[in-house]
Amino acid sequence: MSILDSKIPKGPLADKWTKHKNDVNLVNPANKRNIDVIVVGTGLAGGSAAATLAELGYNVKTFCYQDSPRRAHSIAAQGGINAAKNYQGDGDSNYRLFYDTVKGGDYRSREANVYRLAEVSANIIDQCVAQGVPFAREYGGMLDNRSFGGVLVSRTFYAKGQTGQQLLLGAYSAMNRQINRGKITPYNRHEMLDLVIVDGKARGIIARDLITGEIERHSAHAVVIASGGYGNAFFLSTNAMGSNATAAWKIHKRGAYFANPCYTQIHPTCIPVSGDHQSKLTLMSESLRNDGRIWVPKKKEDAIAIREGKKKAKDLSEDERDYYLERRYPSFGNLVPRDVASRAAKERCDAGFGVNKTGQAVFLDFASAIERYGKEQAAMHGNHNPSKEEITKLGKEVIENKYGNLFQMYEKIVDENPYDSPMMIYPAVHYTMGGIWVDYNLQSTIPGCYVTGEANFSDHGANRLGASALMQGLADGYFVLPYTIGDYLSKDIKTGAIPTDSKEFEEAENKVREQLEKLINNKGSHSVDYYHKKLGHIMWNKCGMARNAKDLASAMTEIRALREEFWKEVKVPGELNEMNAELEKAMRVADFLELGELFAKDALHRNESCGGHFREEYQTEEGEALRDDENFMYVAAWEYTGDPATEVLHKEELKYENIEVKSRSYK
């Protein structure tokens, strides 16, 4: 149980990042032209890093499994991006953003990393505005803000309900400029299948061309992994169906420690599961909780009547509704953090108050907001005695301007008009706070292998606040990695090009080829999805919103048995040297079947509840998470040993010198 060196600089918290930038080694512009960097993943973290590194003069190769970087899953982020600009004059600051993030993560993140994130957040907005990102603006032209969960200020910048898409287009345009200059060579429809280590340093990757099936060698002086999270281990999640953990898991098997895999975020506002036919779930942005009120019927018989179609939501008066978040958490109301809101919804549904046919849904109601905005708009137009119809019409127009595309998406999927009847929502797997362990420089335990964005563990502790994923991805890519990677690359200015004909590249390629051929030649009887769904059931039922020791131990046993069956019985049609979507899926699911066991092992070892990790044995009398700071205030970083069940735990102790550690309360 070694103590990991996070390389956090000494000195006052507010000065650490500035001092660190002043102390790191730099690379001469002329020398940058001779240095190659591979970036795996071209979402916000990878796209911004690739564009910035190329702008600095490095030669960059980008890899993504999509047909274009602009199709990365970052495009699906809806609600907004946080930044401590304090445009609303409501008391925001770098420190308050830092405090909210550490508290929101239930005191399980690094102080120095989180403060740096808050510090550079304002720069992100300036960068993106300069790129032409069309953030929403107030009537006078100033950038607008809205509030997200776990905070008491409005610091979230947004572009209607498609913020991720607009930010990604900004990063993509910056990438295109460098592609046209010849500084970025894009390898689209390519998937990384292994990391190549030469003399103890990351020196390249083995990738598969997903169109031709060809296995390729690519070398570089450093490798950046920006491939996102592992939420699809649950099968049903809000992630794109192609989102996977393969790049991160492959570097873990090569020596990069995997940190806190059990920290997974269950998002409270998603369209509920409707049946076994589904292959993914759909997110409804947290921004909707600004104006939507979450409720269930007060009486169980009313909930039953709604489930059976005998009553509708509109039939219940205000007195017959339980706005349970407003009741339990009066200070934050519907804008409590995601883990708190998700557990509260599960508690109500488990108690029999769910409102859809399966009993696994609660209402998200906009009637109050439509009425409030309608009256406000009528007054602004000089109509001081508006009719109910006029109020409703004006109110709906305001809601449409703020959330129109989200309402349209909901109606297309559910076939109900959310302007007229409440949305039905339920928690779903959304984001993973765990990931590859990195130090203050974003370098993993493998020299030369850096990890950014959701793929690393660094900034969110046990629970991420809404609108902070985009902030972290762009902070890492635009403003952190370009400084810190230079410190490492400064030692490579005389190395020259890395050859791909070495024995290390040959061994890595052969290993990948053997695994692919084994899958292709396996004459099993079940599809890849058959095993993925089975894994998802185990993960959701035993490692989901609520966990206990018995279920977690059982999950480890069941996942191991499922993995063994997978390698004996999976059937992958088609050939190796051609486009083969089933083969792609098989490789990804094989990794999920290993990662899932480590996930359960990590959750089993952490005998406390914190953030998104909720152990039923460790809760307060009110059903809130009960931390054990004396024994578990550390980052759990796992070292691969060849078997997920026997991985070795390394601890990075967490120290809080600038913030008071206390029980998290949003009441």
Side-chain angles (χ1 to χ4, degrees):
M1 293 189 181
S2 63
I3 303 301
L4 294 166
D5 179 14
S6 57
K7 296 185 173 63
I8 296 173
K10 307 291 185 186
L13 183 67
D15 298 336
K16 286 182 186 292
W17 177 231
T18 300
K19 181 180 184 303
H20 192 62
K21 288 190 291 183
N22 291 338
D23 291 345
V24 296
N25 294 312
L26 302 177
V27 180
N28 179 302
N31 288 327
K32 286 173 183 168
R33 293 195 289 269
N34 302 318
I35 293 178
D36 304 322
V37 180
I38 284 172
V39 179
V40 180
T42 54
L44 287 178
S48 58
T52 308
L53 292 171
E55 183 75 45
L56 288 171
Y58 297 107
N59 305 309
V60 179
K61 298 178 185 178
T62 61
F63 292 80
C64 67
Y65 71 81
Q66 300 93 342
D67 56 2
S68 165
R70 63 175 290 179
R71 294 178 68 87
H73 186 58
S74 299
I75 204 171
Q78 298 168 355
I81 177 171
N82 290 329
K85 283 283 199 182
N86 195 31
Y87 281 169
Q88 302 300 317
D90 55 3
D92 202 8
S93 64
N94 286 347
Y95 183 85
R96 191 171 290 277
L97 175 51
F98 155 73
Y99 173 82
D100 288 343
T101 305
V102 172
K103 178 185 175 184
D106 220 352
Y107 304 94
R108 290 295 179 264
S109 53
R110 275 194 207 133
E111 268 194 343
N113 285 61
V114 178
Y115 194 88
R116 174 174 67 184
L117 178 65
E119 192 178 346
V120 304
S121 65
N123 297 341
I124 297 171
I125 304 304
D126 297 338
Q127 169 91 359
C128 294
V129 169
Q131 289 174 340
V133 173
F135 286 122
R137 294 179 181 267
E138 296 175 334
Y139 180 78
M142 294 289 286
L143 294 177
D144 195 13
N145 294 111
R146 54 190 178 200
S147 192
F148 262 57
V151 305
L152 294 172
V153 297
S154 294
R155 65 162 68 102
T156 305
F157 295 79
Y158 64 98
K160 215 167 185 177
Q162 34 182 261
T163 313
Q165 178 179 359
Q166 299 303 328
L167 291 172
L168 187 60
L169 288 172
Y172 180 55
S173 65
M175 276 186 68
N176 269 342
R177 179 171 180 271
Q178 301 306 322
I179 291 170
N180 290 337
R181 289 181 63 215
K183 296 303 292 181
I184 292 179
T185 304
Y187 291 88
N188 303 339
R189 298 292 289 138
H190 279 68
E191 186 159 26
M192 171 187 162
L193 295 179
D194 207 353
L195 180 73
V196 181
I197 298 177
V198 180
D199 297 329
K201 298 179 179 180
R203 290 304 198 190
I205 66 171
I206 304 299
R208 180 170 178 267
D209 185 325
L210 300 182
I211 295 176
T212 65
E214 183 180 354
I215 299 170
E216 301 173 354
R217 306 177 185 182
H218 295 274
S219 67
H221 297 89
V223 176
V224 179
I225 304 297
S227 53
Y230 48 91
N232 272 351
F234 287 78
F235 185 68
L236 285 180
S237 80
T238 65
N239 290 189
M241 288 179 64
S243 295
N244 64 84
T246 290
W249 191 249
K250 295 305 186 190
I251 69 169
H252 173 56
K253 293 176 80 167
R254 286 291 185 180
Y257 293 179
F258 206 110
N260 303 331
C262 74
Y263 289 166
T264 302
Q265 181 159 89
I266 314 289
H267 198 293
T269 52
C270 302
I271 296 177
V273 175
S274 60
D276 292 336
H277 60 282
Q278 279 181 275
S279 54
K280 78 176 300 293
L281 297 173
T282 304
L283 172 72
M284 287 285 104
S285 169
E286 181 168 320
S287 61
L288 295 172
R289 288 198 275 148
N290 273 274
D291 290 312
R293 300 176 71 194
I294 296 174
W295 64 275
V296 293
K298 281 184 179 177
K299 297 177 183 176
K300 200 171 289 187
E301 52 265 35
D302 286 335
I304 294 170
I306 289 172
R307 287 202 294 269
E308 293 176 349
K310 296 175 183 177
K311 278 189 176 182
K312 294 186 176 180
K314 286 185 173 182
D315 296 335
L316 271 60
S317 66
E318 284 292 305
D319 291 339
E320 295 174 308
R321 302 178 178 193
D322 177 17
Y323 295 95
Y324 58 88
L325 291 178
E326 296 173 23
R327 168 173 56 82
R328 290 179 60 178
Y329 309 101
S331 291
F332 286 75
N334 294 294
L335 284 173
V336 292
R338 292 173 175 177
D339 60 318
V340 177
S342 293
R343 283 197 295 273
K346 182 180 188 297
E347 185 275 329
R348 287 290 79 195
C349 291
D350 288 351
F353 294 92
V355 294
N356 69 345
K357 290 179 181 178
T358 65
Q360 301 290 300
V362 298
F363 286 128
L364 180 62
D365 198 331
F366 292 87
S368 296
I370 288 171
E371 182 179 354
R372 184 177 73 250
Y373 285 129
K375 288 179 178 178
E376 183 182 291
Q377 289 295 308
M380 289 171 62
H381 289 88
N383 184 354
H384 298 290
N385 190 26
S387 66
K388 186 176 180 180
E389 289 74 20
E390 289 173 321
I391 290 172
T392 301
K393 180 177 179 295
L394 291 168
K396 285 181 178 179
E397 288 174 358
V398 174
I399 293 293
E400 184 178 3
N401 285 333
K402 295 179 79 170
Y403 313 114
N405 64 312
L406 300 174
F407 276 54
Q408 183 184 39
M409 191 186 340
Y410 181 88
E411 186 170 7
K412 282 189 173 183
I413 293 171
V414 181
D415 197 26
E416 285 186 9
N417 184 345
Y419 294 101
D420 297 328
S421 59
M423 289 183 178
M424 285 191 285
I425 57 165
Y426 193 70
V429 174
H430 175 60
Y431 185 90
T432 52
M433 286 76 65
I436 297 298
W437 184 91
V438 292
D439 61 19
Y440 193 67
N441 291 325
L442 304 182
Q443 185 172 221
S444 71
T445 45
I446 300 173
C449 182
Y450 290 75
V451 188
T452 64
E454 189 180 355
N456 75 28
F457 87 102
S458 67
D459 293 345
H460 305 296
N463 176 63
R464 176 176 66 76
L465 291 182
S468 288
L470 306 186
M471 174 174 65
Q472 186 213 343
L474 292 181
D476 287 354
Y478 282 137
F479 299 109
V480 178
L481 182 74
Y483 279 102
T484 60
I485 200 171
D487 190 48
Y488 172 81
L489 292 173
S490 64
K491 303 173 185 65
D492 266 328
I493 58 175
K494 295 182 179 178
T495 302
I498 307 295
T500 59
D501 57 359
S502 63
K503 70 178 190 311
E504 290 87 355
F505 273 90
E506 184 176 353
E507 287 170 2
E509 181 185 335
N510 289 340
K511 183 181 175 184
V512 167
R513 193 179 298 278
E514 284 172 16
Q515 192 174 18
L516 291 167
E517 288 174 347
K518 185 175 181 181
L519 288 167
I520 285 290
N521 295 328
N522 209 40
K523 304 305 179 185
S525 54
H526 296 296
S527 69
V528 175
D529 278 350
Y530 171 85
Y531 291 102
H532 198 177
K533 284 182 179 180
K534 278 200 157 191
L535 173 64
H537 281 298
I538 298 169
M539 295 294 291
W540 179 251
N541 292 330
K542 299 189 175 182
C543 310
M545 268 191 285
R547 307 156 180 178
N548 60 61
K550 180 182 176 184
D551 282 349
L552 290 168
S554 170
M556 287 185 68
T557 303
E558 289 179 37
I559 293 170
R560 170 176 287 273
L562 186 66
R563 185 169 69 246
E564 291 172 358
E565 183 189 335
F566 170 86
W567 283 105
K568 291 176 184 175
E569 293 296 332
V570 72
K571 180 178 177 62
V572 179
E575 300 297 329
L576 171 60
N577 297 316
E578 65 180 12
M579 184 184 288
N580 190 335
E582 281 298 298
L583 181 58
E584 297 168 32
K585 279 199 294 185
M587 290 291 283
R588 296 165 187 169
V589 172
D591 293 329
F592 283 141
L593 284 164
E594 294 180 347
L595 197 161
E597 187 176 355
L598 179 62
F599 185 119
K601 178 184 174 72
D602 184 48
L604 182 61
H605 112 278
R606 190 170 282 277
N607 293 321
E608 65 164 353
S609 292
C610 57
H613 169 63
F614 189 77
R615 285 281 296 271
E616 293 171 342
E617 308 97 317
Y618 307 101
Q619 55 182 304
T620 66
E621 291 180 2
E622 297 173 317
E624 304 292 347
L626 184 63
R627 293 197 321 264
D628 181 355
D629 293 339
E630 185 177 345
N631 295 306
F632 290 97
M633 191 176 278
Y634 60 77
V635 176
W638 297 93
E639 179 185 3
Y640 187 73
T641 59
D643 182 348
T646 62
E647 295 212 9
V648 177
L649 172 65
H650 299 267
K651 297 180 181 179
E652 180 197 340
E653 303 293 342
L654 294 169
K655 297 183 177 68
Y656 293 97
E657 300 168 350
N658 300 274
I659 197 169
E660 180 187 357
V661 178
K662 53 189 177 183
S663 294
R664 209 170 46 144
S665 174
Y666 293 94
K667 295 183 184 294

